Amino acid sequence: MTHSFLQLLALGDLPFPNTDGKLTSLAFQACRFSVAAYDDSAPQLFSISPPAGFERFVGKRKAEFVAGRVCAQKALGHLGVHGAQIAIGANRAPVWPAGILGSISHSHEYACCVAASTPDSTLNGIGIDAEQIMSAERADKLYGHIVSESEKHYLQTLNCSWPTALTLVFSAKESLFKTLYPAVLQYFDFLHAEVTAIDLNQQRITLRLLKDLTAEVRQGNIYNGLFAIEADSVQTLVYY
């Protein structure tokens, strides 16, 4: 589907190396969109029901919402779920149809959605995130809110720039939050998880939870993720 506002990318083309059998049932859809080309005919054109207060959203947020929901509808259609409207729930998290795990992200006129049908999958949660690589100045300013000193030292040993490494971990922790929130229904901080390993060649990342959130989601739990690093952006997927 192509429109002056939005262009869908190929359905199913995950930007990550799909090396885990758990991920074979995923549906993935991404798109490029233009905030400047957005107009308020887009929700009706793409059969997206705007949430309450949508008319007060700024143009950028409207464009991001519609683009993300278009990707979600296409991914769900691939799973045999057609016409679903993905509402905004607590903590602005998407509300998925029964039997569906899903996650949406958008960054700098790119949006994506990953989804899975729970009857056809061994997954318990998935989260996806896309980020522009932050500047060195921003990385130096923000790192204390994202990683511990020991994590910082580890990241600085990697064969990539410090801003790229920090953006990767920022994104992975965002993905972890999206992965776990439907199960825990509570907020947790970037510093409530730590990166334990990053393999730049295999594009894999491992995170350890540092806080008990539920009886099952506990301190010490390990969560695996995949990532892709482009010239100016990072995408991550975390799952369990």
Side-chain angles (χ1 to χ4, degrees):
M1 180 185 301
T2 301
H3 178 266
S4 59
F5 154 63
L6 182 149
Q7 181 176 7
L8 289 172
L9 305 178
L11 177 66
D13 285 352
L14 278 168
F16 317 104
N18 193 354
T19 57
D20 191 323
K22 281 187 173 184
L23 305 180
T24 56
S25 61
L26 287 184
F28 176 79
Q29 178 68 67
C31 74
R32 300 285 180 187
F33 63 94
S34 168
V35 173
Y38 174 84
D39 65 58
D40 284 334
S41 69
Q44 182 176 5
L45 178 66
F46 291 104
S47 301
I48 302 297
S49 296
F54 185 79
E55 68 280 359
R56 296 191 298 273
F57 289 9
V58 298
K60 178 175 180 288
R61 190 178 175 202
K62 287 179 177 180
E64 290 173 341
F65 178 87
V66 173
R69 264 49 184 189
V70 169
C71 288
Q73 286 196 348
K74 293 298 180 182
L76 293 182
H78 185 68
L79 298 175
V81 179
H82 300 283
Q85 296 294 331
I86 312 303
I88 300 175
N91 260 354
R92 297 191 302 168
V95 179
W96 299 95
I100 295 292
L101 298 172
S103 182
I104 297 170
S105 187
H106 40 70
S107 175
H108 288 73
E109 300 190 324
Y110 169 85
C112 61
C113 172
V114 64
S117 172
T118 52
D120 303 322
S121 171
T122 59
L123 290 168
N124 295 300
I126 49 174
I128 198 166
D129 185 68
E131 300 288 341
Q132 289 291 111
I133 294 174
M134 64 183 75
S135 67
E137 180 181 5
R138 186 169 175 79
D140 288 339
K141 181 179 180 179
L142 295 180
Y143 81 87
H145 300 285
I146 302 168
V147 296
S148 66
E149 287 295 328
S150 62
E151 287 177 290
K152 178 187 177 184
H153 293 322
Y154 171 66
L155 296 183
Q156 290 177 327
T157 69
L158 299 176
N159 188 28
C160 66
S161 73
W162 158 238
T164 297
L166 186 63
T167 306
L168 170 60
V169 174
F170 176 91
S171 179
K173 290 185 179 185
E174 284 280 353
S175 288
L176 178 65
F177 178 83
K178 294 178 181 181
T179 302
L180 296 180
Y181 184 80
V184 304
L185 297 177
Q186 61 177 291
Y187 176 80
F188 59 97
D189 191 78
F190 286 106
L191 298 179
H192 290 145
E194 66 178 1
V195 60
T196 61
I198 295 173
D199 187 325
L200 292 174
N201 293 322
Q202 295 295 317
Q203 296 171 255
R204 301 190 69 86
I205 186 167
T206 306
L207 299 163
R208 178 190 294 121
L209 192 63
L210 300 178
K211 178 183 181 179
D212 290 344
L213 297 174
T214 69
E216 293 77 28
V217 182
R218 301 183 60 83
Q219 178 180 351
N221 284 12
I222 298 294
Y223 299 94
N224 295 313
L226 305 175
F227 62 86
I229 300 174
E230 305 294 341
D232 61 354
S233 64
V234 167
Q235 281 190 83
T236 58
L237 173 74
V238 174
Y239 59 95
Y240 77 107

